[in-house]
């Protein structure tokens, strides 16, 4: 089947971000690619409807998460730039994701959000490294939501 081409640049606080990770996911499949040293990314995926998520591929970097829903058509090239921003935080959560036999799970995504009076004020995510380790900084306030998505 013909593929769609997805390209773009990721910045962190306005500067090219060479530690970004882009994930394009459908309900049944996902593709992940890291940005190069200039923050540029490229991927080829089957045509379809995707949720595109960008976050730090370096678990010690603390940045906001950005996501978008996009429809990709065969034999088309799409450009989607993503702007991430450093967060101020007062606590850091560190953990390791393993499977049922204790093997580390790489590329698990941890989402956190913060709400005040029912209004979302903050959202961020971290992705586990090859050892299954993640580290994420959180701003002051109550943590109302925590979600983990593991590949497979």
């Amino acid at each position: 089947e013909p593929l769609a081409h997805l390209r773009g640049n990721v910045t962190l606080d306005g500067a090219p971000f060479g530690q970004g990770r882009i994930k394009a996911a459908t309900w049944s499949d996902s593709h992940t690619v890291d940005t190069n040293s200039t923050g540029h990314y490229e991927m080829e995926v089957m045509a379809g409807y995707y949720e595109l998520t960008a976050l730090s591929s370096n678990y010690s970097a603390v940045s906001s998460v950005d996501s978008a829903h996009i429809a990709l058509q065969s034999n088309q090239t799409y450009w989607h730039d993503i702007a991430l921003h450093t967060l101020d935080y007062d606590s850091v959560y560190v953990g390791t994701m393993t499977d049922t036999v204790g093997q580390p799970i790489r590329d698990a995504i941890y989402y956190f959000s913060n709400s005040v009076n029912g209004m979302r004020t903050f959202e961020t995510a971290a992705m586990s490294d090859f050892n299954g380790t993640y580290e994420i900084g959180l701003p002051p306030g109550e943590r109302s939501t925590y979600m983990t998505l593991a590949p497979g």
Side-chain angles (χ1 to χ4, degrees), residues 78-92:
Y78 296 86
W79 194 275
H80 186 79
D81 290 337
I82 299 168
L84 300 175
H85 304 281
T86 301
L87 302 171
D88 293 324
Y89 59 92
D90 69 346
S91 58
V92 176

Side-chain angles (χ1 to χ4, degrees), residues 51-118:
E51 180 176 14
L52 184 67
T53 305
L55 55 141
S56 173
S57 63
N58 176 354
Y59 70 88
S60 64
V62 178
S63 60
S64 61
V65 62
D66 184 34
S67 64
H69 293 242
I70 55 176
L72 303 177
Q73 296 179 6
S74 297
N75 298 316
Q76 298 291 317
T77 298
Y78 296 86
W79 194 275
H80 186 79
D81 290 337
I82 299 168
L84 300 175
H85 304 281
T86 301
L87 302 171
D88 293 324
Y89 59 92
D90 69 346
S91 58
V92 176
Y93 287 95
V94 178
T96 302
M97 174 68 101
T98 58
D99 62 18
T100 57
V101 294
Q103 295 298 309
I105 298 176
R106 179 188 169 138
D107 296 337
I109 299 176
Y110 302 85
Y111 289 100
F112 291 84
S113 68
N114 184 34
S115 298
V116 175
N117 296 327

Side-chain angles (χ1 to χ4, degrees), residues 113-122 139-145:
S113 68
N114 184 34
S115 298
V116 175
N117 296 327
M119 303 230 5
R120 184 179 299 165
T121 58
F122 160 79
E142 292 185 34
R143 279 56 152 173
S144 59
T145 304

Side-chain angles (χ1 to χ4, degrees), residues 11-43:
T11 58
L12 177 62
D13 298 327
F17 188 52
Q19 296 178 330
R21 179 163 289 162
I22 309 301
K23 182 175 183 179
T26 66
W27 65 273
S28 63
D29 195 19
S30 68
H31 305 273
T32 303
V33 66
D34 291 335
T35 59
N36 66 18
S37 62
T38 65
H40 184 74
Y41 72 92
E42 294 187 19
M43 67 172 56

